[in-house]
Amino acid sequence: MRRMRRLRVPGIREMVSETDLGIQNLVQPIFVDERITEPRMIESMPGQYHQSIESVAAEAGALEDLGVPAVLLFGLPSTKDEMGSAAADPDGVIQKAVRAIKECTSLLVITDLCLCEYTSHGHCGLVRGERVLNDETLPLLGEVAVSQAQAGADIVAPSGMMDHMVRAIRTSLDWEGFADTPILSYSAKYASTFYGPFREAAQSGFAFGDRRGYQMDPANFAEALWEVQLDIEEGADMVMVKPAMPYLDVLRAVKEMFGMPTAAYQVSGEYSMIQAAAERGWLDERAAFLESLMCIKRAGADMIITYWAKEYARQCEG
């Protein structure tokens, strides 16, 4: 008679483990604020910091020494306007951060490509009145992509959920001689309450309305597959599901249907909930993060963007 517990004793349990999670699967997000001169703690995300242009290279070097293979950069500019002009500035915060990191490390640098951190109204595209303009935004996203690639970004990651953004970015990159720069598209990005702490971290709250007009309805599953398929057809090299844990069913379906390199983003709310529970003694921080990351990997993620990547490297790879 079969007894499943025979395979659960120490030694055998590890030997028959079906899912392999390692530091090579993880990406550490970094927030870079050009208005500060030294790291500053993000209150809503314990253990995370705003880095300055001066400190980001040292942070990247520490991550590389720990074995973290890649970072995802978000920029906080010194000035914002209606057009999000600073996003494409060759001397903008992301561009300077990329150059600083590349001068002293061999880390893969992924750049978040969106206007929300740079616009005075906080939306991911241009606006007219209280309407977010899709088609008028696309050329600007192409300009931002080229500027980031010129600075040395290894991968650009459009996150604004503008229709046909991948096509516009791929066309601009190819035209300017960056045909080899991959696109990691936030293809299935849901309008999620789990982004709450990120609003403080990126200082990207919106002045009116919300983002449900261009981010996905959490009730929808099939729509995510349409979104992913469209991005692949337009030239995406990698696709993403965001958030991660509440959408593991979507993640599994995307990986099985398309077989593309697939990322999942363990977002700020997922991270901060575990941290808050751990601070109160309700959860073991290490065990909770390891279980959640393993579940995301098991569901099909090749890459996991997580604020716990640095801690994983310290606690599990050292």
Side-chain angles (χ1 to χ4, degrees):
M1 182 179 296
R2 180 167 299 279
R3 292 174 62 86
M4 297 303 296
R5 63 173 53 208
R6 294 177 191 138
L7 302 180
R8 295 171 184 162
V9 298
I12 297 177
R13 182 187 186 95
E14 292 73 23
M15 184 182 300
V16 300
S17 176
E18 299 174 23
T19 305
D20 184 23
L21 174 71
I23 191 62
Q24 72 276 3
N25 303 119
L26 306 184
V27 177
Q28 174 72 48
I30 299 179
F31 297 95
V32 188
D33 188 339
E34 67 178 344
R35 301 164 299 178
I36 62 177
T37 57
E38 58 185 25
R40 182 178 298 168
M41 186 177 67
I42 301 171
E43 291 187 8
S44 61
M45 298 178 66
Q48 302 301 306
Y49 292 81
H50 289 120
Q51 299 293 333
S52 68
I53 296 295
E54 294 78 13
S55 68
V56 69
E59 176 67 9
L63 290 167
E64 184 176 49
D65 290 343
L66 287 167
V68 177
V71 294
L72 172 62
L73 298 184
F74 296 93
L76 283 72
S78 57
T79 60
K80 301 185 179 188
D81 60 28
E82 288 285 312
M83 301 284 290
S85 305
D89 186 344
D91 290 316
V93 57
I94 285 295
Q95 291 80 355
K96 288 188 286 190
V98 172
R99 290 193 291 268
I101 292 170
K102 284 298 184 180
E103 284 175 3
C104 62
T105 79
S106 58
L107 282 178
L108 281 174
V109 177
I110 308 168
T111 48
D112 181 77
L113 202 174
C114 193
L115 298 183
C116 63
E117 296 142 62
Y118 304 90
T119 54
S120 53
H121 46 76
H123 280 285
C124 301
L126 302 180
V127 302
R128 182 179 297 129
E130 294 192 358
R131 179 169 173 260
V132 178
L133 306 175
N134 189 98
D135 294 357
E136 293 86 344
T137 300
L138 300 180
L140 296 181
L141 296 180
E143 292 176 18
V144 177
V146 170
S147 179
Q148 292 178 346
Q150 288 172 336
D154 297 292
I155 301 169
V156 297
S159 61
M161 290 295 285
M162 297 292 112
D163 289 335
H164 307 304
M165 64 181 183
V166 173
R167 178 184 299 163
I169 291 165
R170 183 75 273 159
T171 300
S172 295
L173 288 172
D174 292 354
W175 181 260
E176 295 295 334
F178 294 99
D180 291 332
T181 300
I183 296 173
L184 166 58
S185 181
Y186 289 63
S187 298
K189 181 178 179 180
Y190 284 85
S192 174
T193 191
F194 289 96
Y195 303 148
F198 181 91
R199 304 284 186 239
E200 176 199 341
Q203 296 180 12
S204 61
F206 27 84
F208 61 85
D210 54 40
R211 294 180 179 145
R212 291 186 296 175
Y214 44 99
Q215 294 179 358
M216 286 185 53
D217 184 346
N220 292 357
F221 175 88
E223 183 185 353
L225 304 182
W226 302 342
E227 287 277 10
V228 171
Q229 182 173 345
L230 285 169
D231 282 0
I232 293 170
E233 291 172 353
E234 292 182 7
D237 301 282
M238 296 168 275
V239 296
M240 186 192 301
V241 175
K242 180 184 180 184
M245 285 289 286
Y247 300 94
L248 293 182
D249 59 331
V250 177
L251 176 60
R252 166 58 70 187
V254 167
K255 186 61 180 178
E256 289 184 346
M257 179 169 290
F258 300 104
M260 290 284 289
T262 303
Y265 198 144
Q266 186 181 50
V267 299
S268 59
E270 297 175 75
Y271 171 85
S272 294
M273 284 194 305
I274 294 175
Q275 289 287 15
E279 286 179 2
R280 288 161 175 77
W282 297 341
L283 289 176
D284 179 280
E285 176 189 336
R286 182 179 186 275
F289 273 111
L290 287 178
E291 182 177 342
S292 63
L293 292 172
M294 187 67 74
C295 290
I296 297 166
K297 183 68 162 56
R298 189 191 68 230
D302 302 294
M303 301 164 284
I304 305 173
I305 301 163
T306 173
Y307 299 96
W308 208 69
K310 187 176 184 179
E311 281 305 307
Y312 180 95
R314 283 174 172 165
Q315 298 189 33
C316 306
E317 298 279 331

